[in-house]
Amino acid sequence: MFRPRPAQWFHLLVAREELPQTLAVLATQHGIELEAREGEGQTLLSGELVEYLAQFQQLSRQYHAFWPELRPEQPRPAPAESLAALRESPQQVLATALAALERWRIEAEPIIQRLDEERVRQAELTLYEALARQLSAHPHLATMDLAAMHAGGGEWLEANLFVLPEPLAPLPPTIAPILCPVPGKTHHFLLAVGLRTEMASLAERVAAAKGRPLAIPYWSQGAARTALPEIRERLGSSTDKLHRLQQALGIIHRRHDIPHHLRAVGHLQWLFAAIERVRPGPWLVHLSGWTDQADEARLNRLLYRANLRAMIDLSAPPPAGEPPTLLVNPWWTKPFELFARLLGVPGQHEVDPSPLLALVVPLLFGYMFGDVGQGLLLTLIGLVLRKPVAVSWLLITGGLSSFAFGLLFGSFFCREDVLPALWLHPTQHPLPVLALPIALGVLLLLTGLLLDGISHHWQGRLRVWWLHKAGILPCYLGMLATLFHPAGWLLALTGLAWYLLGHRLAGASLSALPGILGHLLETLMQLAVNTLSFARVGAFALAHAGLSQAVVTLADLTQHPLATLLVLLLGNLLVVLLEGLVVSVQTTRLILFEFFVRFLKGEGRTFRPLPPPPGWLLQT
């Protein structure tokens, strides 16, 4: 659990026509990362395939909005049961799909043109409906007759209607038409009457403000209030017409089996994106890469149950191959892997601290954020979120820890007069609150030094650690012990002698000992600073208690039950948002820069498994 393991190198031998299905099954059921060896194989994309894909992309750019949306209607089934066997060659699949799409295009283009025209008409009707509503709501504009404005004007005068995203800025004195702004929430309309030369200048200013002209409707007779039902009737008729056109387009989709062809092309696009190069034969294709599975028989049984002519062989990686690192943790510790991944992936000879962090991180967070009510609130938020799992689980564990420390501190939604403190109230006994995290920091730093020794042991370099670094432990412990008893200096001097003698036994010359001694002093100073850094855990616990006390004081000063409740509600919300963010940052900082720096380098390689096909590819 604490030691990462390398991914397993595999060779995959598969029938050429069953390559897409085989990769889809493996990528959906298990993690596989394909890796082409340098100088081996050839690309899957021939010149003919590149041309076919370019033609498909051209069609997709032009007609994608009119193609059927491919979504699984049910939960994603097992690939072995749902993937249709693509027995044809990729060239044949693409050629067949392009021919079907071309036939579809010829038949669908008239309907697509009518759809576009009707959508434009519906968009304009929607604007007219908004204009009529806004005119009706205005006491001085409700009687305005838009149709009369359309019929008005003359040889010199002109009436125009504009729609803008924001109200138009004031016009200069040189442009002086009669303006009637009609503001709204999403659309701002402007009715203007003036000379034709003025209208041209006004149109330029409207365009600069990202507005556009809108034709004045000639068919909406009478006041805006009386014209509104007619506009809504036209809008409903347009909606019905759009629905009928889309139904006609759906019939053409089914007639030419467009969903099937789109899935076939999508599957090939996924395949070409997944595989850069292969080693093909007349009937078989050879692939290699990494997998997170160590059971060869299990993988082959999976392929056999899927009726695929394929075989996997797990073997030693090539000499120059660097295997990705896999973190092997139970489900309850996996969310805490994100802390180690902030520095990189632990190497296979490094300790994965995730199981330890599953205890340490909630402890640090809960200590700084101890409140029963706020802890339950964080837990509830984590349970509601659920996804992403890492964030929700961190909220749940942090909230439960806050709940536990809230019982120890006697704090319930900032109040300390509701629950008795099982330990103490932080503001009344600040010194113990500051001292306890320092003791936890000492244990954490000692653990980090020991984990560094374990990493050296896994690397076969335990003797190096024993001679070069093990002496730091008694030196550090001795320095801490001197704070309580003078005999601690004996332990510190023992560690000093151990450190210097170890370097001498490792081959260091006498002239190098002053530099080695300086390095030891620097390390001990760093450890002292790291130890004192954990006092911030107690300081933030006191700050949380002080802020809670301020919220309660403000609430009590209101001297009104409803006002008191409102202040407590807003104050607790502020504490949860502000303190929760600050405490999360401080917890992360202590883990990364005080604990990880002692043993973790993050020298592993990230395992990047092949993403499974989209769900709509797995439909029959």
Side-chain angles (χ1 to χ4, degrees):
M1 185 166 63
F2 285 92
R3 184 172 186 177
R5 66 176 178 86
Q8 186 71 47
W9 179 258
F10 74 86
H11 295 278
L12 173 64
L13 202 61
V14 56
R16 293 183 65 138
E17 65 270 18
E18 293 185 350
L19 178 60
Q21 307 94 291
T22 302
L23 288 182
V25 169
L26 291 174
T28 306
Q29 298 292 324
H30 300 294
I32 59 168
E33 178 182 340
L34 300 178
E35 182 175 320
R37 309 307 302 164
E38 186 176 354
E40 291 183 357
Q42 66 185 44
T43 179
L44 280 176
L45 287 173
S46 63
E48 186 180 13
L49 284 175
V50 171
E51 183 180 350
Y52 280 149
L53 287 174
Q55 294 176 26
F56 177 79
Q57 291 298 333
Q58 177 64 29
L59 286 170
S60 178
R61 283 190 294 270
Q62 190 172 358
Y63 297 106
H64 177 76
F66 302 98
W67 287 345
E69 190 174 3
L70 303 179
R71 287 183 177 177
E73 298 177 356
Q74 298 176 350
R76 189 152 128 181
E81 301 171 0
S82 62
L83 276 172
L86 298 177
R87 300 296 178 183
E88 303 92 347
S89 66
Q91 290 90 337
Q92 186 175 352
V93 170
L94 285 171
T96 304
L98 288 172
L101 288 170
E102 182 61 24
R103 292 192 298 270
W104 170 89
R105 183 189 66 80
I106 294 172
E107 188 174 352
E109 265 193 344
I111 294 179
I112 290 174
Q113 184 177 355
R114 293 168 62 189
L115 268 171
D116 286 336
E117 293 171 355
E118 195 60 37
R119 283 171 180 167
V120 171
R121 181 170 177 268
Q122 187 180 60
E124 288 193 349
L125 285 169
T126 302
L127 290 175
Y128 291 142
E129 194 263 346
L131 173 61
R133 277 191 291 104
Q134 290 164 211
L135 288 172
S136 302
H138 199 286
H140 302 296
L141 302 178
T143 58
M144 182 177 291
D145 189 344
L146 293 177
M149 286 191 63
H150 178 273
E155 186 176 350
W156 296 282
L157 290 178
E158 184 177 305
N160 281 328
L161 171 63
F162 301 96
V163 57
L164 301 101
E166 298 291 340
L168 189 65
L171 299 176
T174 56
I175 306 176
I178 300 174
L179 300 180
C180 178
V182 186
K185 292 182 179 180
T186 57
H187 298 98
H188 298 270
F189 298 94
L190 180 66
L191 289 161
V193 178
L195 298 175
R196 295 185 183 275
T197 55
E198 293 177 334
M199 288 295 104
S201 300
L202 178 60
E204 291 178 0
R205 290 190 166 268
V206 168
K210 299 181 179 180
R212 65 180 181 88
L214 187 64
I216 298 177
Y218 62 88
W219 37 262
S220 56
Q221 301 289 334
R225 186 178 292 108
T226 58
L228 189 57
E230 180 187 357
I231 296 175
R232 287 174 175 168
E233 182 181 352
R234 287 174 177 261
L235 191 58
S237 175
S238 177
T239 302
D240 293 339
K241 187 175 181 180
L242 275 177
H243 181 65
R244 290 194 300 270
L245 288 172
Q246 288 167 348
Q247 284 182 327
L249 196 60
I251 293 172
I252 302 175
H253 292 335
R254 292 189 291 274
R255 182 181 301 140
H256 296 283
D257 205 5
I258 296 303
H260 166 75
H261 292 297
L262 291 180
R263 288 192 185 95
V265 177
H267 203 168
L268 288 177
Q269 287 178 316
W270 171 80
L271 176 67
F272 296 146
I275 305 177
E276 294 180 1
R277 305 185 72 83
V278 296
R279 190 190 304 170
W283 299 283
L284 301 175
V285 172
H286 174 263
L287 291 173
S288 56
W290 307 95
T291 178
D292 59 0
Q293 296 297 311
D295 189 350
E296 177 181 302
R298 180 179 181 183
L299 293 171
N300 282 308
R301 282 196 301 271
L302 175 66
L303 298 175
Y304 176 77
R305 286 196 301 269
N307 295 318
L308 295 169
R309 292 173 292 171
M311 182 178 67
I312 277 187
D313 173 47
L314 302 183
S315 61
E322 180 188 358
T325 304
L326 303 173
L327 304 184
V328 185
N329 290 304
W331 66 270
W332 51 273
T333 62
K334 278 193 172 296
F336 296 91
E337 293 177 359
L338 68 89
F339 289 94
R341 294 185 188 277
L342 291 175
L343 292 182
V345 180
Q348 55 182 303
H349 299 305
E350 293 184 274
V351 176
D352 173 18
S354 303
L356 187 60
L357 296 182
L359 173 65
V360 173
V361 169
L363 276 178
L364 293 175
F365 183 91
Y367 195 92
M368 291 186 278
F369 200 76
D371 187 283
V372 171
Q374 295 166 6
L376 289 175
L377 180 61
L378 288 178
T379 304
L380 180 62
I381 294 173
L383 291 172
V384 170
L385 285 178
R386 294 187 183 178
K387 290 183 180 181
V389 177
V391 175
S392 62
W393 186 244
L394 290 176
L395 281 173
I396 292 170
T397 55
L400 291 176
S401 178
S402 299
F403 171 82
F405 279 102
L407 292 176
L408 294 176
F409 295 152
S411 177
F412 181 79
F413 282 123
C414 295
R415 302 201 69 97
E416 295 184 351
D417 53 356
V418 177
L419 297 174
L422 299 183
W423 180 33
L424 50 79
H425 291 296
T427 54
Q428 299 175 13
H429 304 86
L431 291 181
V433 174
L434 290 171
L436 186 60
I438 295 178
L440 175 62
V442 171
L443 291 176
L444 207 57
L445 293 176
L446 289 173
T447 302
L449 294 172
L450 290 173
L451 292 180
D452 186 43
I454 294 174
S455 296
H456 278 75
H457 170 62
W458 288 342
Q459 297 168 17
R461 301 173 63 241
L462 182 60
R463 183 176 182 276
V464 174
W465 179 83
W466 192 259
L467 295 176
H468 287 81
K469 294 187 175 183
I472 297 175
L473 281 165
C475 280
Y476 176 56
L477 286 173
M479 288 174 54
L480 294 172
T482 55
L483 299 175
F484 305 98
H485 197 279
W489 284 110
L490 294 176
L491 183 58
L493 291 174
T494 301
L496 174 62
W498 183 345
Y499 189 81
L500 295 177
L501 181 61
H503 278 79
R504 185 78 178 105
L505 293 175
S509 62
L510 291 175
S511 60
L513 290 182
I516 294 171
L517 181 61
H519 183 269
L520 173 63
L521 293 176
E522 181 187 7
T523 302
L524 292 175
M525 286 294 295
Q526 291 176 354
L527 285 170
V529 172
N530 295 154
T531 304
L532 291 176
S533 291
F534 281 89
R536 74 181 64 215
V537 177
F540 275 98
L542 293 174
H544 182 268
L547 185 59
S548 300
Q549 200 172 67
V551 170
V552 173
T553 302
L554 288 174
D556 292 341
L557 288 175
T558 59
Q559 297 182 352
H560 190 280
L562 290 179
T564 300
L565 181 62
L566 181 61
V567 172
L568 282 175
L569 180 63
L570 294 177
N572 275 277
L573 182 61
L574 175 66
V575 170
V576 170
L577 294 176
L578 179 63
E579 286 283 318
L581 176 62
V582 172
V583 167
S584 300
V585 171
Q586 290 303 319
T587 301
T588 305
R589 184 199 176 281
L590 288 171
I591 293 298
L592 293 182
F593 301 112
E594 317 297 339
F595 180 45
F596 282 178
V597 72
R598 295 292 140 214
F599 66 95
L600 187 62
K601 296 183 176 62
E603 296 176 341
R605 175 186 155 193
T606 303
F607 180 59
R608 295 182 174 87
L610 177 68
W616 52 265
L617 286 181
L618 299 180
Q619 280 187 303
T620 55

